[in-house]
C-alpha cells in the first residue's frame, strides 16, 4: 500500500524550472566585511516555497527580502515545528563562487523534515533554487577570503490550528546573510567550556541528530549559565559516565594519545545524540586520507579526559562547524575545577592544518570535488 503523503511527495515536487523571480527594485547597501556581526544583515532577496497536503509544493518564488505573514495559530509558533540548515557560499581567489558539499546539507535537511513530520522535497530541485538565489544576490558574497555568505534554508509548519498534529501546510524559505571571519587575524581564538551534567542537549530517541529549531531554543538557558560561570560555551555531557558529546553548536574532536598509547583523533559516534556535521565528516575524511594517526568515532568520557590530562596525553581539543570550521578549546570547568587543555601550547597544529586545508578548498586555492562552482 502506498501511503498517501509519500505519494504527494512524489507527484508534487518543487521544480526549479518553475521558479518565479520578482527582483527587488531598491537594493540595500552592502556591509563592510570587516565589521559584521553573525546573522544580523540580510541580502536583497529570499526564496519561498509553500506546501499543502492537497496540492503539494507550489512554484518556488524568489522575491525581495521581506517579513513573513503567518496565521497566529501556525504550528511553528506553538510547537516549534521547524528545522533549518546552515551552509556557506565562498568567493574564491579566482572570483568564482563555490558551495561546500551542499548535497550533505540537503540530505540532512530531508532527514530533519522526516523527523519533524514536515514534508519531503526533491533535494536537487531545492539545491537548484538555492543556487539561483545566491546567483541573483552574488554581489553579497564578500570579496574576501576570510568572509562568506551564510545560507539559511528553513522549513516551517504553517498549519493554522492548535491541534498537535502533522501539519497539512508548510513552507520552505531561504535567507542569506554575509558573515565575517570567526577569528581575528591568523591565530585561532580558543574557547573555555562549562561542563555540568545537570543539562542535557540531546538524548537517545530524541531529536539531537536533526537540526530542529527546538533543540537550540532549549539550549539557551544552559548557555547563559556557562557565561555566568565565566565560560564561553557549554560542553554537553551525556549519561551516567558523563560522555563528552558536543561543544555549544559544534561537534567535538579530541587529538590525544589514547589509553593504548596510540596517537588518535577521536570524535563521538553518530549514535542518535550527535548532530552529523558536514565539517565533522570532512575532518574525518581528510584525516583518514592522511593516514598519519588513528581516526576514531568512539565514546569519550570526562574520566577519559581527566586521566589523559593528568598523564599529559592530550594534544588538542577543538569544536567543528560551518561557522568557524574549527575552534580550539583551552579550558573545561568541571566539578568546580578548571581543566586546562593544552591546545594553544601545542600550537593548535592539527586544528590549524585542518582549517588551512578546508579553507583552501572553499576559496578555490585547491581543486576539489567537495565544492560546486555556481557562478
Ligand atoms: C550545525 C551543528 C553542528 C555542525 O554542523 P556543520 O554541518 O559542520 O555546520 C554541530 N553540532 C550541532 C549541535 C549543530 O547544530
Amino acid at each position: 500500500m502506498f501511503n498517501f503523503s509519500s505519494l504527494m511527495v512524489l507527484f508534487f515536487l518543487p521544480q526549479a524550472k518553475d521558479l518565479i523571480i520578482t527582483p527587488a527594485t531598491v537594493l540595500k547597501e552592502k556591509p563592510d566585511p570587516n565589521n559584521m556581526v553573525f546573522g544580523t544583515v540580510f541580502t536583497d532577496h529570499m526564496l519561498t516555497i509553500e506546501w499543502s497536503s492537497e496540492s503539494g509544493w507550489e512554484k518556488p518564488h524568489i522575491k525581495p527580502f521581506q517579513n513573513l505573514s503567518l496565521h497566529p495559530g501556525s504550528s511553528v509558533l506553538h510547537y516549534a515545528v521547524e528545522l533549518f540548515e546552515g551552509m556557506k557560499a565562498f568567493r574564491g581567489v579566482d572570483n568564482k563562487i563555490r558551495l561546500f558539499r551542499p548535497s550533505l546539507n540537503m540530505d540532512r535537511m530531508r532527514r530533519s523534515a522526516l523527523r519533524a513530520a514536515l514534508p519531503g522535497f526533491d533535494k536537487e530541485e531545492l539545491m537548484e533554487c538555492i543556487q539561483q538565489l545566491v546567483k541573483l544576490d552574488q554581489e553579497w558574497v564578500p570579496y574576501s577570503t576570510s568572509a562568506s555568505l551564510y545560507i539559511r534554508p528553513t522549513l516551517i509548519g504553517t498549519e493554522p490550528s492548535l491541534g498537535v498534529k502533522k501539519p497539512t501546510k508548510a513552507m520552505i524559505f531561504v535567507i542569506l546573510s554575509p558573515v565575517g571571519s570567526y577569528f581575528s587575524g591568523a591565530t585561532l581564538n580558543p574557547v573555555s567550556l562549562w561542563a555540568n551534567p545537570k543539562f542535557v542537549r540531546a538524548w537517545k530517541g530524541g531529536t539531537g541528530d536533526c537540526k530542529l529549531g527546538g533543540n537550540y531554543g532549549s539550549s539557551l538557558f544552559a548557555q547563559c549559565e556557562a557565561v555566568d560561570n565565566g565560560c564561553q560555551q557549554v560542553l554537553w555531557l551525556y549519561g551516567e559516565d558523563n560522555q563528552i558529546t558536543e561543544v555549544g553548536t559544534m561537534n567535538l574532536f579530541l587529538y590525544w594519545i589514547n589509553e593504548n598509547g596510540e596517537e588518535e583523533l577521536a570524535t563521538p559516534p553518530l549514535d542518535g545524540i550527535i548532530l552529523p556535521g558536514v565539517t565533522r565528516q570532512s575532518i574525518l575524511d581528510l584525516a583518514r586520507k592522511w593516514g598519519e594517526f588513528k581516526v576514531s568515532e568512539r565514546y569519550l568520557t570526562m574520566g577519559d579526559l581527566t586521566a589523559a590530562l593528568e598523564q599529559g596525553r592530550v594534544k588538542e581539543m577543538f569544536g567543528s562547524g560551518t561557522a568557524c570550521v574549527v575552534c580550539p578549546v583551552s579550558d573545561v570547568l568541571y566539578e568546580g575545577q578548571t581543566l586546562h587543555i593544552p591546545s594553544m601550547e601545542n600550537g593548535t597544529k592539527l586544528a590549524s592544518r585542518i582549517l588551512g586545508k578546508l579553507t583552501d578548498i572553499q576559496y578555490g586555492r585547491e581543486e576539489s570535488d567537495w565544492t560546486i562552482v555556481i557562478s
Side-chain angles (χ1 to χ4, degrees):
M1 261 291 281
F2 266 118
N3 134 338
F4 182 67
S5 60
S6 66
L7 268 180
M8 281 302 176
V9 170
L10 290 176
F11 287 126
F12 300 95
L13 301 173
Q15 293 287 316
K17 68 171 170 48
D18 297 332
L19 198 54
I20 300 164
I21 300 182
T22 311
T25 48
V26 186
L27 301 182
K28 293 182 275 194
E29 204 167 311
K30 319 261 183 317
D32 170 3
N34 301 313
N35 277 314
M36 293 186 297
V37 178
F38 177 81
T40 53
V41 174
F42 295 93
T43 66
D44 293 313
H45 297 92
M46 65 196 287
L47 169 72
T48 60
I49 319 172
E50 297 201 48
W51 175 89
S52 68
S53 55
E54 314 92 71
S55 337
W57 290 102
E58 304 292 334
K59 289 181 177 168
H61 200 162
I62 290 178
K63 56 192 178 191
F65 185 90
Q66 59 194 264
N67 289 349
L68 299 173
S69 174
L70 293 178
H71 187 288
S74 294
S75 47
V76 60
L77 300 176
H78 298 269
Y79 310 124
V81 184
E82 193 263 4
L83 63 91
F84 64 96
E85 267 303 322
M87 54 210 271
K88 283 175 169 178
F90 305 87
R91 186 181 296 276
V93 288
D94 53 1
N95 204 28
K96 288 183 179 154
I97 295 171
R98 289 178 177 78
L99 300 177
F100 182 75
R101 308 186 86 176
S103 64
L104 296 184
N105 294 91
M106 292 296 104
D107 290 342
R108 189 168 68 192
M109 187 166 171
R110 264 204 69 127
R111 286 198 304 274
S112 296
L114 205 69
R115 183 66 176 85
L118 281 163
F121 51 87
D122 185 285
K123 293 178 292 194
E124 264 85 52
E125 296 292 340
L126 179 58
M127 199 53 243
E128 179 57 32
C129 294
I130 292 174
Q131 290 189 41
Q132 297 283 337
L133 175 66
V134 175
K135 261 189 207 167
L136 187 62
D137 276 344
Q138 59 178 281
E139 279 309 306
W140 287 87
V141 184
Y143 285 79
S144 159
T145 51
S146 61
S148 55
L149 184 68
Y150 186 80
I151 304 171
R152 171 51 64 87
T154 313
L155 175 45
I156 60 175
T158 51
E159 175 73 30
S161 88
L162 298 181
V164 179
K165 60 174 188 190
K166 184 178 161 107
T168 61
K169 292 183 70 171
M171 172 164 68
I172 287 176
F173 63 91
V174 182
I175 52 179
L176 309 174
S177 172
V179 294
S181 169
Y182 192 85
F183 300 107
S184 51
T187 45
L188 297 177
N189 307 330
V191 291
S192 55
L193 307 180
W194 181 75
N196 189 321
K198 80 175 178 178
F199 296 116
V200 181
R201 189 195 83 87
W203 47 90
K204 294 278 168 68
T207 57
D209 56 348
C210 294
K211 257 182 148 53
L212 305 193
N215 294 345
Y216 301 86
S218 57
S219 75
L220 296 179
F221 190 81
Q223 169 62 23
C224 291
E225 197 150 324
V227 170
D228 289 347
N229 283 277
C231 297
Q232 285 158 294
Q233 296 200 25
V234 178
L235 176 59
W236 298 103
L237 304 178
Y238 184 74
E240 299 277 288
D241 52 353
N242 286 342
Q243 289 165 30
I244 53 185
T245 63
E246 299 208 49
V247 182
T249 59
M250 293 183 283
N251 293 116
L252 173 115
F253 283 86
L254 181 65
Y255 178 44
W256 67 336
I257 306 296
N258 70 16
E259 52 280 75
N260 301 319
E262 300 161 302
E263 183 178 342
E264 181 182 57
L265 178 65
T267 191
L270 301 180
D271 63 351
I273 64 165
I274 304 294
L275 194 288
V278 175
T279 319
R280 174 188 180 280
Q281 187 59 53
S282 304
I283 293 171
L284 290 172
D285 293 345
L286 272 183
R288 284 181 178 136
K289 201 179 81 191
W290 290 338
E292 296 167 20
F293 40 78
K294 188 171 181 183
V295 179
S296 309
E297 293 171 76
R298 54 160 284 177
Y299 293 106
L300 298 162
T301 65
M302 282 307 297
D304 296 332
L305 179 64
T306 46
L309 284 169
E310 274 162 27
Q311 296 161 12
R313 289 190 278 111
V314 175
K315 293 168 174 284
E316 294 175 47
M317 190 164 151
F318 52 88
S320 78
T322 296
C324 62
V325 184
V326 287
C327 179
V329 174
S330 58
D331 298 281
V332 177
L333 179 56
Y334 176 62
E335 293 179 340
Q337 278 200 310
T338 299
L339 308 173
H340 181 68
I341 316 287
S343 304
M344 302 309 282
E345 289 81 349
N346 289 322
T348 63
K349 257 174 71 188
L350 182 60
S352 300
R353 180 178 177 192
I354 290 165
L355 178 66
K357 186 75 182 174
L358 291 179
T359 52
D360 280 351
I361 292 170
Q362 291 166 340
Y363 291 100
R365 288 184 290 255
E366 183 180 324
E367 276 288 313
S368 168
D369 56 9
W370 280 357
T371 54
I372 58 168
V373 172
I374 59 171
S375 176

